[in-house]
Amino acid sequence: MPSKTFENLPAAKQETVRQALLTEFSAHNLADAQVARIVKDAGIARGAFYKYFTDLPDAYTYLYHEALLKLHDYDIRAHRLQSAAAYVDQVAAFISQVNTSPYYELVKRHFAVNEALLQPVDSTLRPVTATEWAVMTLVHEAIKEGLRYPDSSDQILKRLRAALTALLAKEG
């Protein structure tokens, strides 16, 4: 996550850096990204980049988190289980919003390549039940498929609804 130095920058400068990160990480996989292109695009010194972020994965994680905050107008990981229909509606909304957003390439590249390059999130941060984990896994897989195969979104959502309905029926 960004340093206090970055957080203390004027909002316009932070946005310039975010846009440079978005340009780089939308066009290049994390493994191929370059600080040189980011600093050139942002108009900052290489040393400033390292004052703002520990390294490229840190900058990427920050940007991806910011993108998700802007894309999520709901909490798909609510602290209580929802209905299958509610999850399906949220996935459909997320996919349609991503497809028209400046973050489309970033999110698509994240699921296709970058997710595997990052350190796994420590799941002890918020313990989840087996059912919550299964719901999260199904939802994320449906989002991945929806981004990879946008013409099949209806079929993907139908399958998600059936799987979640069966899974959540066992909880009730």
Side-chain angles (χ1 to χ4, degrees):
M1 287 293 144
S3 68
K4 291 287 184 200
T5 304
F6 180 79
E7 291 173 359
N8 290 331
L9 288 174
K13 188 64 172 179
Q14 286 182 25
E15 184 58 27
T16 299
V17 172
R18 268 192 298 276
Q19 285 302 312
L21 293 173
L22 181 60
T23 298
E24 182 68 12
F25 293 128
S26 293
H28 303 279
N29 296 336
L30 181 56
D32 300 323
Q34 294 180 2
V35 172
R37 287 190 294 252
I38 295 168
V39 299
K40 182 179 178 187
D41 194 28
I44 61 173
R46 187 177 186 89
F49 175 88
Y50 289 106
K51 283 186 179 182
Y52 304 156
F53 306 100
T54 305
D55 53 20
L56 278 169
D58 183 43
Y60 176 85
T61 301
Y62 160 74
L63 178 67
Y64 189 72
H65 176 75
E66 289 294 305
L68 290 183
L69 286 176
K70 287 187 170 57
L71 289 167
H72 278 284
D73 57 352
Y74 55 85
D75 185 2
I76 207 155
R77 295 172 295 161
H79 296 289
R80 61 176 172 66
L81 289 172
Q82 301 174 39
S83 70
Y87 286 114
V88 171
D89 289 347
Q90 291 169 6
V91 169
F94 183 82
I95 290 171
S96 68
Q97 186 177 356
V98 168
N99 286 337
T100 60
S101 111
Y103 300 110
Y104 175 75
E105 287 299 326
L106 174 73
V107 173
K108 187 176 174 185
R109 191 175 295 277
H110 176 80
F111 284 129
V113 180
N114 292 336
E115 184 177 44
L117 299 175
L118 297 170
Q119 294 292 326
V121 176
D122 183 358
S123 62
T124 62
L125 295 177
R126 182 173 100 66
V128 296
T129 67
T131 302
E132 289 172 323
W133 176 83
V135 168
M136 287 188 303
T137 301
L138 288 168
V139 162
H140 283 104
E141 285 304 311
I143 290 171
K144 287 179 195 180
E145 287 183 7
L147 292 174
R148 284 190 191 128
Y149 311 107
D151 293 341
S152 299
S153 287
D154 289 343
Q155 179 184 356
I156 293 163
L157 293 172
K158 189 178 201 179
R159 186 175 57 218
L160 176 63
R161 182 182 307 274
L164 289 174
T165 298
L167 176 66
L168 294 172
K170 292 179 182 181
E171 280 295 302

